[in-house]
Amino acid sequence: MSADATSPTQQSTPDRGQPMPASSGTGDSSRWPAFAVCAAVAVLTILDLAKVNVTLGPIEHTLGAASSDVQLIVAGYVLAFGILLVPSGRLGDLWNRKRLFLIGLVAFGLASLVCALSVSTEMLIGGRILQGFAAGILMPQVLGLIQQLFTGQERGRAFGIFGAIVGLGTAFGPTIGGLLIGLLGEEAGWRWTFAMNVPLALVVLPFAWRLLPSKQEVAKGQTLDLFGVALLGLAVLTTMLPFVLTSGRDTDDPARWWLLAPALGFFVAFILWERRYLRIGKTPVVDFALFRTPSYRYGVLITTLFFAAMPVGFLLVTLFLQQGLGHTAVLVGAVSVPYALTSAVVAAVSGKWTFQHGATLVAIGVALFAVGYTVVLVVTQLAEPALSPYLVSASLIISGAGAGLVMGANQMRMLLHVPVEQAGIAGSFAQVGQRLGNAMGLAIGSSVFFAGVAALQVTGAVQGTSSPVVQEAYKTSVAGGLLVVICLACLTLVVAVVDLVGHRRRLREQPAGE
């Protein structure tokens, strides 16, 4: 048996001992086209997390948005996304993933149109919140459908490709935004970063209607716990809000951290309610028995920590190159292209090994990611400003290779022993971890960065944004932020190694012949 092959003895219940068979209601010939539909929609939701970074300046200039408005343009999407993940995942498991997928896709297209046509910052913020709700409906259905469509080695391959898609969406977001602004100008450019979703959604919609499976297995007697959903939604909201509303600027209000007190209360109330709900014979929102499975437990923790490190790395590099060194949005947006391509290729190629070697691939991938950003840190401090974009881009290839290994392998390993009828809720809870990680990583990293450049308001006004004094200050600031990224990656690596060591120990303890 392979060192990373998962044994039945790892599980706490017999029904989770082997990967559950898929019941897709879709023929073998249409599974991969259906997967392509899911992957395309995943790209739409992930792109809108990333591409907005390079549009914030143009939005400030053309709509007259204040810094607090700009925060809400980013935070509104992230918050709404995180709040709806678990309830929509649960509803998809209980009702119909295809129908929710179609509803979410239509809503996403309409919300994107609202953003593109916004005549005020309030309208744009409202559109972003609606976009986030739609994305929160869509993503759990994507994960549940992939789990439903594939089994065994083929599922590993599918999640490998899906990992490539997530990596491409995260890394190409700034590139697309930068290109549109460079080609169309500031106002038309930022508007089309949102408007592009509308024709894409219209193209995907008929394929989703035709190709996605209409039938699915639903465990008998399951109900939707609305009170539990409300408690969890409030817990996620009050946890994420103080993180997504921090900027490290003068407008920062430390009082926001008091929101973590009710967040703790909501989480405790949610756990107590769910246990009571289970004792009286009803189906809870989250089956805490899932966390008895080591691969799922560690997978959720790894994805939370890894997604705390990854997006903030892109943001810091973008801010340093664009604001600190004065490079154009088009050039800065293109910096992440080698990362994206490397991540996609590695994730797709490594997919055939994720089923047997998932834990090892995750640990190696996280290590490579940390090494890559360490090289980026050195480059930002030592390279000439004119060469920095190119050297940073080359350095990110290392991190891209690491991310490619982590994405698919961790996603597949995390859901390997989750019953198909719980695929949506299991995947959506992991997505909540991603959104919490995003919020925390961005809050910590950007706070460190902006604290270092807070004094530049006077210096920059006098000497210009490309002056040596300003550049040196940005170098110091980005160094602090990148150290946060590297520390988060190292913490992720510790968890991945603990998971790998424990996994191999369980394999050694497995009785011979099993």
Side-chain angles (χ1 to χ4, degrees), residues 40-122:
V41 169
V43 169
L44 288 181
T45 62
I46 296 300
L47 276 175
D48 269 77
L49 276 172
K51 67 186 179 184
V52 73
N53 288 344
V54 295
T55 68
L56 297 179
I59 288 171
E60 281 185 289
H61 301 157
T62 58
L63 284 185
S67 59
S68 57
D69 296 326
V70 170
Q71 279 185 287
L72 287 173
I73 290 168
V74 178
Y77 184 86
V78 175
L79 282 171
F81 198 158
I83 290 169
L84 272 200
L85 279 167
V86 170
S88 61
R90 189 65 181 150
L91 187 58
D93 289 342
L94 295 177
W95 182 44
N96 189 283
R97 297 185 185 111
K98 177 178 178 177
R99 292 175 190 170
L100 274 182
F101 186 99
L102 294 172
I103 292 170
L105 184 57
V106 171
F108 192 82
L110 292 174
S112 298
L113 185 61
V114 171
C115 291
L117 298 177
S118 294
V119 295
S120 65
T121 53
E122 291 79 11

Side-chain angles (χ1 to χ4, degrees), residues 276-364:
R276 176 186 174 278
Y277 207 69
L278 186 61
R279 281 198 306 270
I280 62 178
K282 295 185 177 181
T283 308
V285 177
V286 177
D287 182 1
F288 291 109
L290 288 172
F291 291 93
R292 298 174 191 163
T293 305
S295 58
Y296 183 77
R297 181 173 66 246
Y298 284 112
V300 170
L301 187 54
I302 288 169
T303 198
T304 301
L305 292 171
F306 190 73
F307 274 84
M310 186 172 64
V312 70
F314 288 121
L315 177 63
L316 292 171
V317 167
T318 298
L319 292 171
F320 171 69
L321 296 176
Q322 194 170 8
Q323 296 183 8
L325 302 187
H327 292 289
T328 65
V330 175
L331 178 59
V332 173
V335 164
S336 59
V337 171
Y339 174 102
L341 295 177
T342 304
S343 175
V345 171
V346 170
V349 171
S350 64
K352 59 186 175 183
W353 292 299
T354 58
F355 185 75
Q356 291 185 315
H357 303 286
T360 298
L361 291 178
V362 170
I364 293 173

